Amino acid sequence: MLISAVSTAPEASFWLPGLIIVIGILGVVVPVIPGLIVALVGVLIWALDLGSTTGWVIFGLCVAVYAAGLALQFLIPGKRMKAAGIKNSTLLLGLLLGIIGFFVVPIIGGPLGFVLGIYLVEAGQSRDRDQAWRQTKVALRGVLQSMGIELLAGMTILTIWIAGVLLTR
């Protein structure tokens, strides 16, 4: 038992994975931590420690939720942005400026840099400020939708894991 060897308290076998899962979910909101992967690692540690079929079934369900969340993240907002005429290269440049902005102005610089990047690319392409701002708002909505989908997947993973903990008590 992985975690039980570290601690003599049996409750420790779910506190550490639970903490890792919550940190992963926080990583969705504060994009410094690779959110859902960290949450899955927490479930994996719990499944390894538990060493039972139930633990592996719970882990498998969480992997399925992760895969569905990842697919929906790219399908739903991606379709809407393509329909609005936003190119992948525009999003890539916005992301690049967002990364640079994150380091220039910690935490809030990321979103600010992303929005500024999208706006600059769109303004450069269309020469119409109103059109550029409309495209920027569409891209921003898409990113927020993507974060919402990822957050929902993370909360579903947490819920499935809690159900697994309750089933194995």
Side-chain angles (χ1 to χ4, degrees):
M1 300 296 211
L2 182 69
I3 297 171
S4 296
V6 175
S7 173
T8 56
E11 292 83 25
S13 64
F14 74 89
W15 284 112
L16 180 62
L19 181 63
I20 293 170
I21 294 167
V22 169
I23 288 170
I25 293 171
L26 289 174
V28 171
V29 180
V30 181
V32 177
I33 304 164
L36 292 183
I37 293 290
V38 173
L40 274 181
V41 167
V43 178
L44 176 62
I45 290 171
W46 174 79
L48 284 168
D49 184 52
L50 194 61
S52 73
T53 304
T54 304
W56 290 111
V57 168
I58 295 297
F59 178 69
L61 288 171
C62 290
V63 169
V65 167
Y66 167 76
L70 197 60
L72 288 174
Q73 233 180 326
F74 290 104
L75 289 176
I76 294 173
K79 270 187 174 180
R80 290 192 177 150
M81 285 188 271
K82 281 193 190 289
I86 298 172
K87 299 176 186 168
N88 287 338
S89 60
T90 302
L91 292 174
L92 186 62
L93 289 170
L95 180 64
L96 183 64
L97 257 155
I99 292 170
I100 292 168
F102 180 80
F103 290 106
V104 173
V105 182
I107 307 296
I108 64 166
L112 290 176
F114 177 78
V115 170
L116 180 63
I118 299 291
Y119 179 78
L120 290 174
V121 170
E122 289 296 329
Q125 288 176 352
S126 69
R127 306 273 190 239
D128 178 8
R129 288 183 184 171
D130 291 335
Q131 174 66 18
W133 182 240
R134 280 192 295 278
Q135 295 294 78
T136 302
K137 288 193 294 188
V138 169
L140 193 54
R141 264 188 241 114
V143 169
L144 291 174
Q145 275 182 332
S146 180
M147 280 179 66
I149 291 167
E150 191 175 2
L151 193 57
L152 181 62
M155 296 304 285
T156 304
I157 288 171
L158 177 63
T159 303
I160 291 170
W161 174 76
I162 289 172
V165 168
L166 293 174
L167 282 172
T168 58
R169 288 274 156 199

